[in-house]
Amino acid sequence: MSASRNQGGCGCCGSIFSLGISALFLWLWIHTSNPKCSIQTLSLPSLSSASNLTADPTLSLTLRLVNPNQLKGIKYDPLNVTVYDFPNKSNVIGNILMPGFYQGYRKKATKPGQGTANTTVALRAVSENGTGVFRVDMATAVKFKTLYGYSKRHQIRIGADVVVNGSGVKVDRKGIRLRSMAPKMGNSCVVLLGALFNFLLFALLDFW
């Protein structure tokens, strides 16, 4: 009798454990997070020669993109970066277009890009002490890859304010996170995970 109970208890525990593992994998499969993006470098050499408007107008920028998803790759459309002279986006300093690419799950990528800057507009954003604040926006669209193919496209629009010095170089040595204004994803996933958790909890209480 006791042996039968022990066998039944072990079988029940095994079933609950299997359900827990299944719920975890289901959560990893359905949960989707947008990529994380930060500005690693930004350089506009022409700002170091304020009296020479014929100086090098090259605008250089490096992005770092992180795919935080456990079981999903990300396919990026071309990355369109726009740099403005002020945080309120008064005028465009320059544009940088980076080619699209595929990023595996839990992978990181560093993407450099260059464009031509409007030096006249950039100089107006620099204060008397030689520093300025630029607004950097990035727009793209992504598709998430699962075992069953790609999802529909999701628009990504993110941006950040960047302080540059008199030499036209980003002041902050650390990466500057571009914040997304897009709707958060995965609310339905949270509801489903909560339902699975409640089911497992009731199953465990019923066993005890």
Side-chain angles (χ1 to χ4, degrees), residues 131-206:
T131 62
V133 180
F134 295 160
R135 175 68 184 184
V136 179
D137 285 354
M138 193 273 284
T140 186
V142 299
K143 294 192 295 184
F144 298 96
K145 184 180 181 181
T146 67
L147 295 175
Y148 300 97
Y150 285 99
S151 69
K152 65 179 183 179
R153 277 184 170 82
H154 297 272
Q155 298 296 323
I156 303 291
R157 297 183 182 277
I158 51 182
D161 298 335
V162 180
V163 179
V164 297
N165 58 26
S167 298
V169 177
K170 181 171 72 71
V171 173
D172 195 340
R173 295 184 177 181
K174 297 181 180 180
I176 298 176
R177 175 78 178 274
L178 278 71
R179 301 293 178 180
S180 176
M181 295 177 288
K184 291 185 178 180
M185 303 174 60
N187 291 334
S188 60
C189 300
V190 174
V191 174
L192 181 57
L193 183 65
L196 289 172
F197 176 79
N198 289 332
F199 173 77
L200 292 174
L201 179 61
F202 283 119
L204 184 61
L205 291 175
D206 183 67

Side-chain angles (χ1 to χ4, degrees), residues 46-63:
S46 58
L47 291 186
S48 62
S49 304
S51 61
N52 183 9
L53 297 182
T54 62
D56 181 9
T58 301
L59 174 64
S60 301
L61 181 141
T62 303
L63 295 179

Side-chain angles (χ1 to χ4, degrees), residues 13 32 64 90 130 152 159 207:
C13 288
T32 301
R64 183 175 179 82
S90 300
K152 65 179 183 179
F207 167 72

Side-chain angles (χ1 to χ4, degrees), residues 34-165:
N34 285 333
K36 298 178 181 179
C37 181
S38 60
I39 301 172
Q40 299 300 304
T41 66
L42 187 149
S43 175
L44 183 54
S46 58
L47 291 186
S48 62
S49 304
S51 61
N52 183 9
L53 297 182
T54 62
D56 181 9
T58 301
L59 174 64
S60 301
L61 181 141
T62 303
L63 295 179
R64 183 175 179 82
L65 299 107
V66 179
N67 179 2
N69 294 291
Q70 293 286 349
L71 299 175
K72 291 184 178 69
I74 298 178
K75 185 176 182 180
Y76 296 82
D77 281 359
L79 312 177
N80 186 12
V81 180
T82 304
V83 181
Y84 300 90
D85 56 347
F86 291 106
N88 61 5
K89 305 181 181 181
S90 300
N91 299 284
V92 175
I93 292 177
N95 292 284
I96 298 174
L97 186 63
M98 302 179 183
F101 66 100
Y102 175 79
Q103 185 177 39
Y105 61 89
R106 303 297 295 176
K107 296 295 184 181
K108 301 175 182 178
T110 300
K111 298 294 178 180
Q114 289 187 338
T116 301
N118 186 327
T119 305
T120 302
V121 172
L123 288 173
R124 292 202 297 262
V126 179
S127 61
E128 295 181 357
N129 63 6
T131 62
V133 180
F134 295 160
R135 175 68 184 184
V136 179
D137 285 354
M138 193 273 284
T140 186
V142 299
K143 294 192 295 184
F144 298 96
K145 184 180 181 181
T146 67
L147 295 175
Y148 300 97
Y150 285 99
S151 69
K152 65 179 183 179
R153 277 184 170 82
H154 297 272
Q155 298 296 323
I156 303 291
R157 297 183 182 277
I158 51 182
D161 298 335
V162 180
V163 179
V164 297
N165 58 26

